[in-house]
Every structure is written in structure tokens, then in C-alpha cells.
Amino acid sequence: VSTQSTWEAVVSTQSTWGAFGPIKMASLVARSAHRMFRPTMVAQRAASNRGVVYLGPGKVEIQKIPYPKLELDTPLGPRKCQHGVILKVLTTNICGSDQHMVRGRTTAPSGLVLGHEITGEVIEAGHDVEFVKVGDVVSVPFNIACGRCDNCKHGKTGICLNVNPARPGAAYGYVDMGGWIGGQADYVMIPYADFNLLKFPDRSQALKKITDLTLLSDIFPTGYHGAVTAGVGPGSTVYIAGAGPVGLAAAASCQLLGAAAVIVADLIPERLAQARSFGCYTVDVSSKVPVADQIKSILGNFEIDCGIDCVGFEAHGCGHDHKVEKPAQVLNDLMAITRAGGAVGIPGLYVTEDPGAADKAAQVGSLSLRIGLGWAKSLSFHTGQCPVIKYNRNLMMAILYEKVHVAKACNVQVISLEDAPAGYRDFDSGAAKKFVIDPHGVTKNNK
């Protein structure tokens, strides 16, 4: 059967903040003939849905939210989303970038349903979905991508041009990222399913390894992307700023890529201990000993081959200043310690608006960088969202064939949806854990 489709973009610069987050967005209007001889895929709808809702700085709670529909709210009114699916959420993770919002460091509105790290089971699919079926267990890249624009066709799915009226790129449950409802919930709708979703080849195997596979939606590919863009390869010496979950995932990625020495830096002792637990060297940035001197004690010289920033805009100073926020600290440190001709990967988040910043320049994302040093050393810098689809299948295979144990590296702790607010508090206090929310008790049933 041959089918032709015509796609026209409907673009709006307006959005409406609803009780459950932003719901107005730019989208693509599909006019396609129905596939002949195609079975209808419809699941029994659940009676209710719950989600983790941001209410203001320092406060999230579990609320009843609408059960998702295969619909998009557009400036022209609701329309069917036949390229989408509805997932029963099996696991959904608390991310450090969620914490930026919850701390009040972004312009996130009250009522936003959080969550962009999603793994789930397909329970309903639109008529235009061809390759994903009801019952499939899938990983959802946090980037929402149409698969049709020029950026998507060039593999730059982190900056899709058709899913956010405000700027290139979109994500679930995140401020200024297109108005898509978040996945820290019982159920969630996923658009452009054939392009976006990574189907696990064996359901039972996937459920047994779910605490590793859940990290494919964001932090494992993000950490790997940081390593790849920093030029990590066999024999590399690497400095990773930040021993949170992304930093630990980056460290595991560096080991997977064959790095000779992986140094992880942080100021929280428990996180440094977690990094050492799987073979990393550590630097304590709260120490009076300068970072370069600590590196020399490990490597015998002051420089590393590759630098990775897994901290972002809430960075703190070093030594005596470790309790003082200095948003450019990590980037300036990396320029100082990376060898001439080296590269710096920057998966850490930097924002265009930070209402909680200490100075007016930082409030609009303007930082005091020593760019002259970076230029003089011919350093390369790579910023922006990780294009998850570029890496997630290969990283899935590395997990399934026991080449990497990223859940152990990140110290995954599974919690219920009801315990999500406590998870946010513990994570914010510096817990050396990656909190994975299990709304339906799937992990307990598959141990």
C-alpha cells in the first residue's frame, strides 16, 4: 500500500499556562490517508492519572491530572495526534535539571507537571504509528523531535525546529521547552512515536534491567555525549566537574570509551565516595589544595586531555569560596587545566534566564568567562542538549550485553510516585543517588 502525506506547519508564538503546565504549542498538522489492512490499536483507558506538579520554589506535590489523550492543543483548537502513543509509565527519573526549576532558578510556572526521563509500555497508539505496537516497552528520549525538519534530518534532535514556538528544541515537563506535559506521572502522551521511541527487543529482559535502561532517556546518553564531544578515547585522561548522576554517568561512559584515568570533582564527600566505588579518581574542590595540584598528585602533571562540565550554571567556587556561587567557575577551571588543543564537553545546563542568580549579568545568562585563555590554547567547546537518539540504541546494547553497569555507577534508588517529593528533597540535599520513580510497582515485580 502506498500512501502520500502532506504536512503543513502551524506556528504560534502564544502559549497558555494551564493548571497542569503549558499546553499551547506549535505543532504539525497531518493530512494522511489511513493505512489499509492496519489493525486499530486502542487500549482500555485508565480512570485517573497522577503527576508530580511544581507549585513554587521548594515545593512539589502529587496531584490528580487529566488522563492523556491522543490530541494536541493548538492555536486552532484541539486536533488528533495520530502519530502519537500513550504510555503507562514504568519508570521516570528525577533529574538535576528538574532541581533547577524546583529551586526557583528558572521561570517555570506554578502548575507545571514535571518529568522528562521516561520509560514506559505502549497502551494506545494512533493510526499513523507503524512500527511501535501496544505492549512494547520503550525508552523515551527527553528531546521531542519531529523527525522531518532539517535539524532532525542531520541528527540534531535536541534542536528540532517544529516542536516549540519559542525556540529550537523541546522536552517534556520543562520550562520554555514547548509546553509538553511531563512524564513523572502514571500515564503520558508521546508524539512522533515511530521516530522518537527506542523499542527494547525483549520485554522480559528489559524489565529485569529496567534500572539501567531507564537511564537511556537522558543521563546516560547525556554523560556519553559529554565524553564524546570532549574527545575521550582509549588512553585519555579526563576531568569531570560534578559527581551528580550526570557526572557519574559521564564517568562510566569514559570508562566504556577506554579512558586511562577518570577524575571526578565535587565538594560533597558522599558523591566523591560514589565515584571512587567504580574506579574513578577524585578531586575535592572544597579543599584548600588547588585543583591543578590535586590533578598533579594523580597524573604527575597539571593538565588533562579532556574536560567535561556536568555542573552547569549553579556552580560554586573552590577552596575558601566553595560555599559561594560562581557560575563561571567550572568553565574557567576547565580552560585552565585542559591541555592545549584539547576539548571541553559541556552537558551541564546553562540558562538564558536565572532569577535566583547573584548578579544581574548572570540573571540573563551572561557569565564572566576567561575566553582569551581558551582561545590561546585552541580549545574546542561543545554545548547544548544531547541528541539522545544519536546514542541510545548503542548504549542499550552495551547495557543488555553487560558492558556497562550504569545504574550501579549512579547508585539508582527506586521510589514510589507518592515518595517523589521526598526524593526531590533528598536529591537537593546532595544525596549520592539517582532517584527513579516507579508509579506502578514494576521494579518490585521484576527483581
Side-chain angles (χ1 to χ4, degrees):
V1 179
S2 174
T3 306
Q4 295 180 337
S5 301
T6 301
W7 301 87
E8 66 179 25
V10 178
V11 181
S12 171
T13 57
Q14 297 179 343
S15 61
T16 300
W17 301 107
F20 305 104
I23 59 172
K24 296 289 186 182
M25 54 161 295
S27 57
L28 293 174
V29 177
R31 298 174 179 171
S32 61
H34 290 293
R35 303 298 197 261
M36 294 178 65
F37 313 118
R38 174 172 171 75
T40 302
M41 300 186 292
V42 179
Q44 182 67 35
R45 296 221 165 179
S48 63
N49 193 19
R50 302 167 300 159
V52 180
V53 180
Y54 170 69
L55 298 179
K59 189 173 182 181
V60 298
E61 70 177 30
I62 309 305
Q63 293 185 356
K64 289 185 178 181
I65 62 174
Y67 184 84
K69 300 178 181 179
L70 291 176
E71 287 185 356
L72 296 173
D73 288 320
T74 76
L76 304 180
R79 70 167 179 82
K80 292 293 183 181
C81 180
Q82 297 293 3
H83 52 67
V85 300
I86 294 173
L87 297 185
K88 174 184 177 180
V89 177
L90 303 182
T91 53
T92 176
N93 319 325
I94 298 175
C95 182
S97 55
D98 295 325
Q99 289 286 18
H100 295 309
M101 291 188 290
V102 174
R103 292 189 191 114
R105 298 300 296 268
T106 72
T107 55
S110 176
L112 180 66
V113 181
L114 299 171
H116 57 271
E117 301 188 13
I118 308 163
T119 304
E121 176 186 357
V122 178
I123 61 172
E124 184 175 345
H127 292 300
D128 292 343
V129 179
E130 295 187 79
F131 306 114
V132 179
K133 299 181 291 296
V134 169
D136 287 345
V137 177
V138 296
S139 178
V140 183
F142 78 90
N143 325 106
I144 302 169
C146 72
R148 297 158 173 81
C149 71
D150 190 60
N151 281 348
C152 285
K153 289 178 179 179
H154 285 85
K156 300 175 182 179
T157 53
I159 44 174
C160 174
L161 301 174
N162 288 325
V163 289
N164 184 353
R167 63 177 72 176
Y172 304 93
Y174 209 85
V175 59
D176 296 331
M177 296 301 287
W180 300 88
I181 302 300
Q184 288 176 10
D186 290 309
Y187 304 92
V188 68
M189 195 277 282
I190 307 297
Y192 307 107
D194 279 333
F195 181 73
N196 283 300
L197 297 181
L198 173 66
K199 176 183 174 180
F200 299 134
D202 181 87
R203 176 187 174 87
S204 61
Q205 182 189 36
L207 294 177
K208 288 178 182 177
K209 294 183 176 292
I210 193 70
T211 54
D212 286 282
L213 294 172
T214 190
L215 304 183
L216 291 171
S217 58
D218 183 356
I219 69 163
F220 191 14
T222 292
Y224 190 85
H225 180 61
V228 168
T229 55
V232 176
S236 298
T237 58
V238 188
Y239 178 92
I240 299 171
V246 171
L248 296 172
S253 299
C254 291
Q255 293 175 341
L256 185 63
L257 289 165
V262 181
I263 304 170
V264 180
D266 207 292
L267 50 78
I268 299 175
E270 293 79 11
R271 289 186 169 183
L272 293 173
Q274 179 60 28
R276 289 192 294 270
S277 74
F278 61 100
C280 299
Y281 300 96
T282 57
V283 162
D284 181 357
V285 296
S286 70
S287 170
K288 296 179 182 178
V289 180
V291 168
D293 289 341
Q294 293 186 63
I295 291 173
K296 186 178 181 182
S297 71
I298 297 168
L299 300 179
N301 61 72
F302 294 105
E303 292 187 320
I304 44 91
D305 298 323
C306 313
I308 307 174
D309 175 3
C310 295
V311 177
F313 72 101
E314 288 192 64
H316 284 68
C318 296
H320 293 294
D321 292 334
H322 75 274
K323 294 184 179 180
V324 179
E325 192 166 298
K326 294 188 173 183
Q329 181 74 50
V330 168
L331 294 172
N332 286 328
D333 284 348
L334 288 170
M335 284 189 273
I337 64 176
T338 303
R339 65 172 176 81
V344 178
I346 310 175
L349 176 66
Y350 288 87
V351 295
T352 56
E353 292 182 84
D354 175 10
D359 61 76
K360 290 185 178 180
Q363 288 175 5
V364 293
S366 180
L367 308 183
S368 181
L369 295 177
R370 197 180 174 191
I371 195 66
L373 176 62
W375 190 93
K377 295 174 74 174
S378 293
L379 298 179
S380 300
F381 301 89
H382 200 292
T383 67
Q385 289 185 27
C386 165
V388 171
I389 291 175
K390 183 176 181 179
Y391 306 109
N392 62 355
R393 184 188 180 279
N394 287 345
L395 294 177
M396 173 190 74
M397 298 301 288
I399 290 170
L400 295 179
Y401 285 88
E402 305 285 343
K403 298 302 181 184
V404 64
H405 300 280
V406 67
K408 182 178 179 181
C410 295
N411 196 22
V412 163
Q413 178 172 324
V414 179
I415 60 176
S416 67
L417 185 64
E418 293 81 1
D419 289 335
Y424 270 93
R425 289 193 296 270
D426 290 348
F427 191 17
D428 190 50
S429 71
K433 300 173 182 178
K434 174 66 173 179
F435 289 99
V436 172
I437 300 169
D438 178 356
H440 299 282
V442 172
T443 56
K444 293 180 180 179
N445 298 329
N446 287 280
K447 287 186 176 180

